[in-house]
Amino acid sequence: MASVYCSIATSVRPIGLTSRTARRASRARKGTKALAFTTAPVQETAYSTKRTGERTWTSDSGAEQGTTTASVPVPLENPADDPRLANPLQRFERLGTGWMGVVVDLEGVIVRENVEAHMTAWQKLSDEERRPAPLAFALHRAIGKKNEQVVSEVLCWTRDPTEVRRLARRKHELYLELLGEGYRHEELDGARHLLNLLKKHGVPVAIGSSLPKDHIDVILKELDLSSFFDAVVSGEDVSRGRPDPECYWYASQLIERPTARCIVIGNDNSCTEAAHDAGMKCVTVASRRPLYELSAADLVVRRLDELSLINLKALFSQEEGTEPQLQLEEEADIQTSFFYD
C-alpha cells in the first residue's frame, strides 16, 4: 500500500480531524510555526527561494514547494554621510540636499569667452611655425581643451613633450597679444548674483578651467571675484582637459564634497560629458545658442540669474541609488508536500 506523507502549515486544517478537534489542536499549538503529520521522516533538502510567487523544486525528491517572499528595506550607504559626527543635526544636514558643491567653468560662464581670439591665435601660430593650417572643425574641437592637448591630439603637430609645451606657451602669448594691452574681461549677466547666492547659503564653489593659472588669477583680480571661490583648478593642475572628468574630480576633492553631490556649471556639451562621466549633475548656460543643442545637460538656462538654490537642489530630487534597496526574505506561511511511493 502506498504510503502518503503530508507536511501541512498551521493555517491548513489537519486531514481527518473535525472542526472542533481542529480548533483545539490550533489552540494547543498556538505560538508554533508549523506542525507536520507524517508517518515517516521527511528527507530535508536545500533549495533557494526566488521572487514572490515563484516555485522551486528540490533536486533529491523532485517535490514541488510553494514559497512566498516579503520585501525588507535595507539601508544604503550614502556618500555624503559621516557616522563620526556626534551632532545629529550636522549629520542630517550632510544627508540632505543642502550639502552640495558647485564647480564652474570660467570662460563662457563667469566671463565672456573670446572664441575668435583663440582661433586666430592658433592660425597665427601655424603660420609662425610653418605648420599645417588648422581646419575649422579642428578649432571647434579645441574649445575647452588644454593647449598641450590641442597641439598633440587635435592638430597632431608633434608628440615631443618639450616641443608641445613650447607651442602651448607661444599660443597663449599670441592670445594675450590679440586681446591687447588694455583689454578688460566682460563679466556675464547674472554671474555675480549666483555667486552671492551660493556664498550666502554656504555652498563651496570651485573653478575648473583649462586656462593657465596666472591668466585665471588676472581675471579674478580684475573683476574682484576671488573671494567667491574656495578652490581653483587650472590647466596646469591636470593632464587632460574636457571632456575628460579629471578637472572636476580634482575640484570636488579640493572643496571636500562627494561627486554625487556636485553640480557643474558649463557652457557646452563637453562640460556635460565630463560632468556625467565624473558622476555629477550639469547645468549649461546656453547664452545665444539654441537650447536643443544642449539638451544632454540636466538643466539649461539662458542666464545665470535664472538659477536659484531651489533649482539646484531639485537636481538631486531623483538621485539614483539613494532609496533603500529591497531584499527578499523568505516566509514559509503555507507549505504542502505530497510524496507518493
Side-chain angles (χ1 to χ4, degrees):
M1 182 178 64
S3 59
V4 180
Y5 303 96
C6 302
S7 176
I8 308 175
T10 57
S11 60
V12 180
R13 179 184 299 179
I15 299 176
L17 297 181
T18 63
S19 300
R20 180 178 300 177
T21 307
R23 288 196 298 270
R24 291 177 180 176
S26 177
R27 287 195 298 268
R29 59 177 180 267
K30 185 177 181 181
T32 61
K33 292 184 178 180
L35 180 62
F37 296 86
T38 60
T39 56
V42 179
Q43 184 179 4
E44 296 182 357
T45 55
Y47 63 95
S48 61
T49 303
K50 298 181 181 179
R51 294 185 179 274
T52 305
E54 294 185 0
R55 293 181 175 180
T56 56
W57 287 266
T58 57
S59 58
D60 295 344
S61 60
E64 181 181 342
Q65 297 186 356
T67 60
T68 60
T69 55
S71 299
V72 179
V74 178
L76 184 68
E77 294 184 1
N78 194 308
D81 189 16
D82 188 2
R84 297 172 298 178
L85 291 176
N87 190 339
L89 296 179
Q90 293 181 355
R91 188 173 179 184
F92 180 76
E93 181 184 2
R94 294 174 67 93
L95 290 173
T97 56
W99 196 73
M100 63 182 182
V102 175
V103 182
V104 300
D105 198 359
L106 189 59
E107 288 189 323
V109 178
I110 303 299
V111 299
R112 191 171 301 280
E113 184 177 16
N114 198 331
V115 179
E116 296 297 331
H118 282 289
M119 292 186 176
T120 306
W122 284 116
Q123 292 173 353
K124 283 193 172 185
L125 181 63
S126 65
D127 297 337
E128 184 180 293
E129 298 290 331
R130 296 182 179 179
R131 301 282 183 174
L135 301 177
F137 80 92
L139 294 177
H140 283 286
R141 285 183 54 199
I143 298 176
K145 292 182 171 60
K146 292 181 57 177
N147 292 336
E148 293 83 356
Q149 193 175 353
V150 176
V151 170
S152 60
E153 299 179 12
V154 179
L155 302 179
C156 301
W157 284 349
T158 180
R159 294 282 184 174
D160 181 40
T162 304
E163 187 70 7
V164 167
R165 287 193 294 269
R166 185 186 70 82
L167 293 175
R169 286 195 300 268
R170 181 55 184 160
K171 183 266 172 184
H172 185 63
E173 293 174 359
L174 292 174
Y175 172 73
L176 295 180
E177 292 177 3
L178 290 172
L179 294 182
E181 186 69 25
Y183 179 81
R184 290 189 58 84
H185 295 85
E186 181 183 355
E187 181 181 328
L188 291 178
D189 296 334
R192 193 173 295 270
H193 168 77
L194 178 64
L195 294 176
N196 279 320
L197 181 67
L198 296 176
K199 185 176 181 180
K200 175 182 177 181
H201 291 85
V203 179
V205 183
I207 290 179
S209 175
S210 58
L211 293 175
K213 183 68 165 57
D214 55 351
H215 190 45
I216 295 177
D217 294 338
V218 169
I219 296 175
L220 296 181
K221 183 178 180 180
E222 178 183 323
L223 300 178
D224 193 20
L225 296 174
S226 302
S227 59
F228 293 103
F229 299 102
D230 301 274
V232 176
V233 178
S234 64
E236 301 165 354
D237 298 322
V238 294
S239 59
R240 299 177 62 85
R242 301 193 310 259
D244 193 280
E246 181 183 359
C247 176
Y248 297 151
W249 279 334
Y250 186 38
S252 67
Q253 294 177 6
L254 294 179
I255 61 177
E256 298 180 353
R257 293 294 186 268
T259 57
R261 289 301 173 90
C262 286
I263 300 174
V264 173
I265 303 179
N267 66 328
D268 57 16
N269 287 322
S270 63
C271 296
T272 304
E273 182 179 353
H276 289 171
D277 288 345
M280 304 179 181
K281 303 295 182 181
C282 184
V283 177
T284 302
V285 182
S287 296
R288 298 171 181 170
R289 283 174 294 177
L291 298 180
Y292 65 85
E293 293 182 357
L294 307 170
S295 58
D298 299 288
L299 180 63
V300 182
V301 295
R302 288 288 183 189
R303 297 154 44 104
L304 287 179
D305 53 8
E306 298 177 9
L307 288 174
S308 65
L309 201 65
I310 297 177
N311 299 136
L312 298 179
K313 288 184 177 182
L315 297 177
F316 302 103
S317 60
Q318 295 181 351
E319 284 184 316
E320 296 181 359
T322 56
E323 296 182 357
Q325 301 292 322
L326 296 180
Q327 181 179 9
L328 299 178
E329 181 180 84
E330 180 183 352
E331 291 183 358
D333 291 337
I334 300 176
Q335 294 186 1
T336 57
S337 299
F338 299 94
F339 298 84
Y340 297 95
D341 290 340

